[in-house]
Amino acid sequence: MENMSPESLLRKAQALGDDIKEMESIDILGAYYQAQAKIKTNRRKNMYNQLMRYAAFLTIPLFLSSLVLGYLYFSGTETDEKYAEVVTATGSVIRYELPDHSVVWLNAGSTLRYPTTFKKDNRLVELKGEAYFEVQADKDRPFYVNTPNGLSVYVYGTKFNVAAYEDDNYIETVLEKGKVNVITPNQETIVLAPGEQLLYDKQSQKSKRNKVDVYGKIAWKDGKLIFRNASLEEILKRLERHFNVEIQFNNRSGKEYKYRATFRTETLSQILDYLARSADLKWKIEEPQQQADDTLSKTKIRVDLY
């Protein structure tokens, strides 16, 4: 320093003063706060990006679940139908009202299955056995009766009878009022007029249309048994269901008898005695037997025609 000239010392002093002024002009506290703000901003950005990744990870399965639930909801409203089933015990007749206020009478040993809520475009029921229908008119929703052998009856509003017992050789449809359309298993459509009967042979798959005494066919719903030109075999089969018994018929003579009769309050014994007056017919009641489950077997009746 001592060897330096006065000019050099002056320049050094000025430079030192300039450095001190520059240092004094720096806002240390502000710089600190700015640095802290940048750190927080970067942390927020990192946290936001991380949350977005988590959200995307969670949103994809949630979106897929929504799609699945939506599909199940909208498709399930049509397919997940609830059904009710009405069963008539052998030896009884019941009257029942359907969801559309149509009325059905079920004959002995019959089953009717139907949805608890009918669809908007049709009313469909399934029948095993015999039933008489009084269908409420609805031109926009036809009423279908499906039978186990593939025969269907559909109407828009009318009164008719369907007999479709599984152990019968025929499926019978009788129209009392209005019009019915019968669709056979081979897709043939037959239209019936009031007073007509359609017999469908299950084995030959052929149909036959006749004029009949309608009340004689539907009187069972009123507790009556009416026979018009009925064979003995047909009568005994109806007596089985009506009285809840098992009848074993042996036609030893091979003869065919036709009967015309009306029974209201007669007992089974009285009816069999009536049938025996016009033919060499013998009948015998076999006492019920106790079964393995401690219940009694169905009453059996042996009928012999000589």
Side-chain angles (χ1 to χ4, degrees), residues 47-208:
M47 185 177 295
Y48 176 78
N49 292 334
Q50 190 73 17
L51 288 174
M52 289 301 294
R53 285 197 292 270
Y54 289 152
F57 178 77
L58 294 173
T59 301
I60 291 173
L62 181 61
F63 175 70
L64 294 176
S65 300
S66 300
L67 288 179
V68 173
L69 290 174
Y71 172 79
L72 292 176
Y73 175 80
F74 288 106
S75 63
T77 54
E78 291 296 327
T79 58
D80 296 341
E81 292 182 290
K82 294 182 179 180
Y83 284 83
E85 193 171 86
V86 184
V87 180
T88 310
T90 306
S92 63
V93 174
I94 65 171
R95 179 186 181 277
Y96 195 80
E97 186 171 314
L98 296 174
D100 67 335
H101 303 298
S102 295
V103 179
V104 57
W105 281 260
L106 276 180
N107 204 351
S110 301
T111 301
L112 185 74
R113 185 173 182 266
Y114 65 93
T116 54
T117 302
F118 285 130
K119 293 183 178 180
K120 295 181 180 179
D121 57 349
N122 67 65
R123 297 168 287 171
L124 190 149
V125 302
E126 299 171 11
L127 173 68
K128 295 179 182 178
E130 185 172 17
Y132 173 83
F133 296 90
E134 287 187 358
V135 177
Q136 287 288 325
D138 189 340
K139 64 179 181 179
D140 297 322
R141 291 194 302 166
F143 187 99
Y144 286 86
V145 180
N146 291 342
T147 66
N149 290 84
L151 183 140
S152 297
V153 178
Y154 79 91
V155 302
Y156 291 93
T158 185
K159 299 179 180 180
F160 63 101
N161 193 86
V162 178
Y165 285 103
E166 293 185 281
D167 58 347
D168 281 353
N169 296 325
Y170 292 88
I171 300 176
E172 180 190 57
T173 303
V174 175
L175 177 60
E176 180 183 10
K177 181 181 179 181
K179 183 179 75 173
V180 300
N181 306 273
V182 182
I183 305 174
T184 64
N186 55 11
Q187 299 305 307
E188 179 186 9
T189 300
I190 302 170
V191 180
L192 295 184
E196 288 188 331
Q197 167 207 59
L198 182 74
L199 284 177
Y200 175 77
D201 191 317
K202 297 177 184 178
Q203 295 183 345
S204 68
Q205 297 185 346
K206 293 183 179 180
S207 303
K208 185 178 180 182

Side-chain angles (χ1 to χ4, degrees), residues 5 16 144 163 195 281 298:
S5 64
L16 180 61
Y144 286 86
L281 184 148
K298 187 179 293 186

